[in-house]
Amino acid sequence: MVGAGLILVVVTITFLLINLAPGDPARLWAGPAAGEAELAAARHALGLDQPLPTRYVSWLWNFVRGDWGMSLARQRPVAGLIADALPHTLMLTGLSLLATYLGGITLGLIQAARNRSALDTGITVGSLFVLGMPSYWLATMLVLVFAYGAARGGWPGWLQLPALGVASLDAEFLSPVGRVMDRARHLVLPLATLGLLGIAGTARFVRAAALEVGHLPYIRTARAKGLGGFVVARRHVLRNALIPVITLLGLSLPMLFSGTVFVEVIFAWPGMGREMVSAVGARDYPVALATTAIYGALVVLGNLAADLLYAVADPRLREDPS
Amino acid sequence: MSTWRALVRDRRAAIGLGVLTVLALAAIFAPLIAPADPLAQNDILRTRFLAPFSSGPDNVTRWLGTDRLGRDLLSRLLYGARISLLVGGLAMTVSLAVGGAIGFTAAAAGGAVDRTLMTITDAALMFPRLVLLLVLVALSRPSLGLVVLVLGFTGWMGIARLARAEAAAILARPYVDAARALGQTRFAVILRHVVPNALTPLIVASSLGVGNAITLEAGLSFLGLGVPAPAPSWGNLIASGRDALVNAPWIAMFPGFALVLAVVACNLVADGLRDALDPSSRYDSMITVTGARGSAVNRT
């Protein structure tokens, strides 16, 4: 219920911002040569001659029912456009979240176990610099090395990676296995960009959380019982260090979505982020509104998922322990 | 004052502050340091895409090379630093004002006002910032002032939380009771005692926000929505380098190095601060303090 309320707030703010921003969508719809009469007709057709509250209510009603209007720039239903784009974005964010948490937790626990060793310091300094990298720059550098550099330097074929799109132009002619491989190869660079950034942030966090837990008396007790380092790390340190890490999941979603926007633009990945940037550039209001609202909703849903994960990770937070 | 002292003593924070100082000086004195006019195009055909450390037909060394129009990249980078640091600094100031006001008000008022303000803060933390930025900046006329305002008004949440925590800690101190007992109003106590004492950690904490603001501003410029074309900014330098990645990879590389340097420096300062203010390290010093006191008591 709280989640639905938050989504409503996000969507309302977006609607107000877009409608209060200067610029006339009727002008875009009618074309630059349109006269006053045509502009008035366009305004009427778009419903812009109605007062703002009326427009808000009817837009919200239509939005909830899944009728998101027509794209002004492309003359096709917004819902169809988003239905095409959303799976690409969800695949990219889902896989990068997976990589982020698997890689970040592993690295963080290794660092905490080897606290103050050369390995720990190296990873700390490395992740500090990776974290300072903007996603669009890291992506550009990866393209430079693995798309241009690899081709020019004659690197082995599997290291020469494609820099654009989700599949090769001739993917239709490949065997089924070849087609999957082709898709996977196109996924490597976008995923590496988001994954590296995510792993760097998560590893720092897990390291700090694990070190905090590692000092507590019950860890000493577990070691004194004769349990091995690996069992203690997994059963006692990780389990307790996981709670702040789940909080991080909720907080890092907005960052991740920002990252996908740039990554999709750079790698010509046909997802929501690229759709939104081109809609914003073309003043395509219905598409901009719908994509923004969906991004907001996804972040809120991610935070709700984090709340549910708390209960999974920490039995003390379950409503009825008996 | 103690916050500053703890910061300078922390090695990472000292390095971060040093790097930021050097970058700020380079930006301020860009007209004096820059070897060339950042907009001068010269003989485009013979001076474009010159590699770093090479000199063109005019025998002037281009330390970082030239771009597609033969413009000196080092000069453009220095002038770009002005925009990046200015936007980062100003956006932080806006965030500080908004976050400070909200955090202090929440701590001072308590009760329902406190709960409402903190709920708003938590909700604002969930809003995808880049999405909001894109929509706002793209749908109105792009200007530096707008970018600063939007970045500032979307980056105050962490500051508000810290301000509330700091203010609550200060309000619990004996000298606040003393001030109240002397007849000062709640408002006067906040203004005279809480704000001055909580301001230093807040300012330093917002250095993390500066790094974010610099990255986001460059990101907007990268998408062509930030600083308009001929003026150099780190973001649009990287974007122009992306178009020439095959011919001249250095154009995209160097502004990125500058960005990473600035952001890492901001993060180092913020890290140093967190350790300096860390309750656990404070706890350690508290143990030593009470321990010493205990032994003194035992002696008497």
Side-chain angles (χ1 to χ4, degrees):
Chain A
M1 233 31 269
V2 182
L6 266 175
I7 295 176
L8 183 70
V9 170
V10 168
V11 165
T12 305
I13 292 175
T14 316
F15 179 85
L16 284 178
L17 283 177
I18 289 190
N19 276 280
L20 295 178
D24 190 356
R27 171 71 63 188
L28 181 79
W29 201 68
E36 267 313 308
E38 283 163 305
L39 273 182
R43 258 186 216 114
H44 183 73
L46 292 171
L48 289 174
D49 50 354
Q50 305 281 327
L52 193 64
T54 319
R55 263 154 59 199
Y56 171 66
V57 172
S58 71
W59 175 79
L60 193 63
W61 175 235
N62 288 333
F63 189 83
V64 170
R65 289 186 309 158
D67 175 10
W68 297 340
M70 292 285 283
S71 157
L72 298 182
R74 303 236 218 120
Q75 302 295 333
R76 70 172 278 216
V78 177
L81 231 139
I82 284 176
D84 285 348
L86 194 57
H88 289 296
T89 296
L90 288 183
M91 180 167 78
L92 196 57
T93 45
L95 284 177
S96 72
L97 268 181
L98 194 70
T100 292
Y101 279 90
L102 286 182
I105 289 176
T106 312
L107 266 190
L109 286 182
I110 291 175
Q111 281 185 275
R114 300 270 176 277
N115 188 19
R116 285 165 201 250
S117 68
L119 182 70
D120 177 31
T121 315
I123 298 177
T124 301
V125 173
S127 53
L128 188 71
F129 275 92
V130 173
L131 262 187
M133 292 179 189
S135 55
Y136 44 91
W137 186 71
L138 179 58
T140 308
M141 290 300 111
L142 286 176
V143 168
L144 179 64
V145 173
F146 290 101
Y148 296 134
R152 200 177 277 179
W155 293 12
W158 59 273
L159 264 179
Q160 297 185 24
L161 292 165
L164 291 176
V166 286
S168 301
L169 287 176
D170 57 356
E172 296 286 310
F173 302 106
L174 295 170
S175 66
V177 178
R179 227 178 289 172
V180 172
M181 287 304 293
D182 181 57
R183 290 242 162 188
R185 282 168 51 82
H186 279 81
L187 200 58
V188 173
L189 289 185
L191 197 57
T193 309
L194 293 173
L196 275 175
L197 291 172
I199 288 173
T202 313
R204 266 166 65 93
F205 206 84
V206 170
R207 174 181 180 273
L211 282 179
E212 202 131 290
V213 173
H215 288 308
L216 297 178
Y218 65 79
I219 300 294
R220 209 184 307 144
T221 310
R223 294 288 303 189
K225 284 201 302 197
L227 289 181
F230 177 74
V231 178
V232 172
R234 192 178 57 85
R235 224 187 266 166
H236 297 278
V237 178
L238 176 62
R239 201 65 193 267
N240 284 288
L242 215 52
I243 294 148
V245 174
I246 293 174
T247 314
L248 184 74
L249 167 74
L251 288 177
S252 65
L253 275 180
M255 286 266 290
L256 177 63
F257 284 127
S258 300
T260 48
V261 170
F262 287 113
V263 164
E264 285 180 9
V265 168
I266 288 172
F267 292 106
W269 194 261
M272 296 263 299
R274 208 170 72 114
E275 210 58 75
M276 185 179 72
V277 170
S278 67
V280 159
R283 305 265 191 286
D284 193 343
Y285 290 76
V287 178
L289 203 49
T291 45
T292 312
I294 288 171
Y295 265 119
L298 282 177
V299 171
V300 173
L301 286 177
N303 274 288
L304 288 180
D307 280 349
L308 292 179
L309 281 176
Y310 277 133
V312 176
D314 189 348
R316 286 166 297 186
L317 294 176
R318 279 172 214 160
E319 297 226 340
D320 188 12
S322 57
Chain B
M1 260 344 263
S2 64
T3 311
W4 281 121
R5 227 172 286 147
L7 259 186
V8 179
R9 218 179 290 142
D10 186 289
R11 198 155 39 105
R12 289 165 305 167
I15 294 174
L17 280 176
V19 171
L20 282 183
T21 311
V22 170
L23 283 176
L25 288 177
I28 293 168
F29 295 110
L32 298 178
I33 311 169
D37 178 352
L39 304 178
Q41 297 185 0
N42 301 324
D43 182 353
I44 294 179
L45 283 181
R46 289 200 291 163
T47 58
R48 71 176 168 189
F49 296 144
L50 287 176
F53 305 114
S54 68
S55 49
D58 47 3
N59 275 327
V60 178
T61 308
R62 266 63 166 210
W63 296 107
L64 299 184
T66 59
D67 69 0
R68 186 170 55 91
L69 296 173
R71 295 175 294 198
D72 182 56
L73 201 62
L74 176 59
S75 309
R76 290 180 71 69
L77 202 61
L78 284 169
Y79 276 87
R82 300 186 128 192
I83 290 175
S84 286
L85 296 181
L86 191 71
V87 169
L90 287 179
M92 178 210 85
T93 314
V94 174
S95 292
L96 201 59
V98 177
I102 290 181
F104 290 141
T105 312
V113 178
D114 183 17
R115 275 196 300 278
T116 313
L117 284 177
M118 284 302 115
T119 309
I120 293 175
T121 307
D122 288 346
L125 266 176
M126 282 193 200
F127 212 91
R129 199 176 175 194
L130 178 79
V131 174
L132 186 66
L133 268 174
L134 270 180
V135 171
L136 267 184
V137 174
L139 296 184
S140 42
R141 203 163 286 124
S143 79
L144 219 53
L146 183 76
V147 174
V148 166
L149 280 181
V150 176
L151 281 174
F153 274 97
T154 52
W156 53 267
M157 290 78 78
I159 310 262
R161 282 180 159 182
L162 185 63
R164 179 175 169 273
E166 285 285 317
I170 292 168
L171 282 174
R173 299 228 177 118
Y175 65 78
V176 170
D177 289 339
R180 289 300 300 269
L182 284 172
Q184 284 192 8
T185 61
R186 235 187 140 73
F187 181 72
V189 168
I190 293 281
L191 216 59
R192 266 195 225 149
H193 298 285
V194 174
V195 174
N197 281 308
L199 210 53
T200 321
L202 284 189
I203 291 175
V204 190
S206 49
S207 57
L208 195 65
V210 177
N212 276 333
I214 290 176
T215 314
L216 276 173
E217 183 279 318
L220 286 177
S221 297
F222 178 82
L223 293 174
L225 295 169
V227 185
S233 88
W234 289 349
N236 67 24
L237 287 179
I238 295 178
S240 72
R242 215 186 125 222
D243 299 335
L245 212 50
V246 184
N247 291 324
W250 57 87
I251 301 177
M253 256 154 69
F254 292 121
F257 291 152
L259 254 175
V260 173
L261 203 63
V263 175
V264 168
C266 288
N267 291 355
L268 280 177
V269 175
D271 275 6
L273 172 89
R274 205 197 38 222
D275 286 359
L277 294 180
D278 190 358
S280 63
S281 58
R282 230 182 229 174
Y283 182 60
D284 289 343
S285 61
M286 263 164 63
I287 290 174
T288 45
V289 168
T290 46
R293 206 180 279 159
S295 58
V297 169
N298 283 343
R299 241 177 275 139
T300 54

